[in-house]
Amino acid sequence: MSEPTRILVVDDTPVNLKLLGDLLTAKGYTITTAASGPEALEKIDRDPPDLVLLDVMMPGMSGYEVCKKLRENPATAILPVVMVTALDPAQERVKGIDAGADDFLTKPINQPELLARVRSLLRVKSLWDQLGDLNRTLESRVAEQVGQLERLAKLKRFFSPQLAEAIVNGGADDPLKSHRREVTVVFIDLRGFTAFAETAEPEEVMSVLREYHAAMGELILTHEGTLERFTGDGMMIFFNDPVPVPNPQERAVRMALAMRARVDDLMRGWRKRGYELDFGVGIAEGYATIGAIGFEGRWDYGAIGTVTNLAARLCGEARPGQILISRKLHGRVDDLVAAESVGELALKGFSRPVSAYNLTAIKTE
């Protein structure tokens, strides 16, 4: 329930105070009175009203002087003031406006006009109050948004942009909570990297990894994949989690083909420096258990399941330049891609041979 509107009536004539007080009280306003300018300023300072009805001619301090004092004080600079006088309105109106009054009434008071002006100024004050509230909260809201952006930037250093945004923005479901979802998993790594790392200087190894990670990272973001982890030259990326995306299978194969083309470019430069490296990819589709993995103080966002093992094994079997995909995934993207069967592969961890296909190109391109 809102508090009643409070009006301070200032007049050195008791009968005028009573007349205005009774009129406004009957309309639901809470009235306080002051018989002089100093008393009015003291009451306003102690408990500011919503509006002031201020007599012009008062002994000691005139209404003009009171109004100027109010305008000089930042706390009362926009407090609505209606000046009331029995003097010549044509001359006094200009003085009142110069003193900072918002409106002007002449005695004898026309009651409907008085009430209309009071309502009008109170509406203006209400808008000013709302604007003041917005300004007061603006700084904290800006600080909160800046803090959120900073948290998001930090999280993006460790998680995919989608997961970082899901964590910062919150929502009905905790993205870190374990859940099941059908995903398309991509494993990539460099062929010959172990031998290269054993013979090259550490600075050369780190230079190659920076180039490789930068190029692959850009393509992962472009295709809206979730980077699960780096393992030196190896990466695991999955699609359709934490944010479901349309056509995760198509995104995965398009990304893998783009990666192969980009690594081809990188290899030309590496070979000029004497580095014999190549590239292999494995892709599979299926359900995985996904969520936070680790311990307090060190959490990763990971996916566990047969689909991740299958993608990793296919990657391990891929010859240089090959992109091996599972039979299930091939069935989902058969209309989109050109692929050739490589037969059945005996993969570690799988009791039966697994059919696989070598992805060569996008049919429509």
Side-chain angles (χ1 to χ4, degrees):
M1 182 176 179
S2 59
E3 296 182 356
T5 304
R6 294 172 298 113
I7 298 177
L8 174 64
V9 181
V10 186
D11 200 307
D12 62 320
T13 305
V15 68
N16 289 342
L17 284 178
K18 186 175 187 312
L19 176 64
L20 290 171
D22 290 346
L23 171 63
L24 294 169
T25 299
K27 296 299 179 181
Y29 299 112
T30 298
I31 303 301
T32 56
T33 60
S36 68
E39 181 185 0
L41 292 174
E42 189 273 334
K43 287 189 173 181
I44 293 170
D45 184 60
R46 189 175 65 244
D47 187 18
D50 296 303
L51 183 144
V52 178
L53 281 178
L54 183 59
D55 185 31
V56 171
M57 296 303 296
M58 294 184 293
M61 177 181 279
S62 70
Y64 300 134
E65 293 172 293
V66 173
C67 193
K68 286 180 180 177
K69 289 284 185 184
L70 293 175
R71 296 305 180 234
E72 291 171 357
N73 183 352
T76 56
I78 59 171
L79 176 64
V81 175
V82 180
M83 303 204 75
V84 183
T85 184
L87 300 176
D88 179 3
Q91 297 180 3
E92 300 305 315
R93 187 181 299 276
V94 175
K95 292 181 182 178
I97 292 173
D98 285 342
D102 296 286
D103 214 333
F104 207 89
L105 286 172
T106 57
K107 295 178 181 178
I109 295 296
N110 179 304
Q111 294 185 7
E113 182 183 7
L114 167 65
L115 295 172
R117 292 180 186 275
V118 165
R119 288 194 297 271
S120 175
L121 286 174
L122 288 174
R123 280 197 297 272
V124 173
K125 180 179 182 298
S126 176
L127 294 175
W128 275 107
D129 289 345
Q130 293 176 31
L131 183 60
D133 290 340
L134 290 174
N135 286 334
R136 279 189 291 276
T137 59
L138 178 61
E139 185 176 349
S140 62
R141 286 186 283 121
V142 169
E144 181 181 350
Q145 291 176 352
V146 169
Q148 182 165 317
L149 290 174
E150 291 176 346
R151 291 194 296 276
L152 182 60
K154 291 178 181 177
L155 287 172
K156 282 183 176 179
R157 296 170 59 188
F158 302 98
F159 300 114
S160 71
Q162 300 93 327
L163 178 59
E165 290 179 9
I167 294 172
V168 171
N169 294 331
D173 297 323
D174 181 357
L176 299 179
K177 184 178 179 181
S178 293
H179 55 279
R180 294 275 294 171
R181 182 164 291 166
E182 188 174 30
V183 292
T184 305
V185 180
V186 181
F187 262 89
I188 65 172
D189 71 5
L190 291 176
R191 298 293 184 266
F193 184 80
T194 301
F196 164 68
E198 288 175 352
T199 56
E201 296 294 338
E203 292 81 2
E204 295 175 297
V205 175
M206 294 307 296
S207 174
V208 166
L209 283 179
R210 278 194 293 271
E211 291 177 332
Y212 172 64
H213 288 161
M216 299 302 100
E218 180 182 354
L219 292 172
I220 293 168
L221 295 177
T222 299
H223 293 83
E224 298 186 277
T226 297
L227 176 61
E228 200 244 21
R229 62 175 179 266
F230 289 108
T231 53
D233 61 311
M235 297 184 199
M236 173 180 159
I237 307 107
F238 55 84
F239 290 83
N240 208 37
D241 190 89
V243 179
V245 294
N247 306 318
Q249 306 87 3
E250 179 178 344
R251 290 170 186 266
V253 297
R254 285 186 180 277
M255 183 192 72
L257 288 166
M259 284 178 163
R260 184 170 64 185
R262 186 70 184 93
V263 171
D264 285 345
D265 293 337
L266 291 173
M267 284 193 301
R268 280 191 282 274
W270 293 339
R271 285 169 182 156
K272 290 179 181 177
R273 287 182 268 170
Y275 309 150
E276 293 297 329
L277 297 170
D278 215 309
F279 183 64
V281 182
I283 312 176
E285 182 190 28
Y287 281 89
T289 300
I290 305 172
I293 299 173
F295 54 88
E296 196 62 40
R298 183 63 173 89
W299 294 100
D300 284 327
Y301 191 69
I304 297 174
T306 302
V307 61
T308 61
N309 294 335
L310 179 55
R313 298 305 180 196
L314 289 174
C315 179
E317 290 293 323
R319 297 194 302 272
Q322 271 192 331
I323 301 172
L324 295 186
I325 64 176
S326 66
R327 183 171 63 182
K328 180 179 179 181
L329 177 61
H330 178 257
R332 299 292 291 269
V333 298
D334 185 36
D335 293 338
L336 174 69
V337 302
E340 55 191 14
S341 173
V342 296
E344 294 188 332
L345 303 176
L347 302 179
K348 183 179 179 181
F350 290 82
S351 59
R352 296 178 179 177
V354 175
S355 296
Y357 295 80
N358 177 32
L359 174 64
T360 56
I362 298 293
K363 287 181 177 176
T364 55
E365 294 179 348

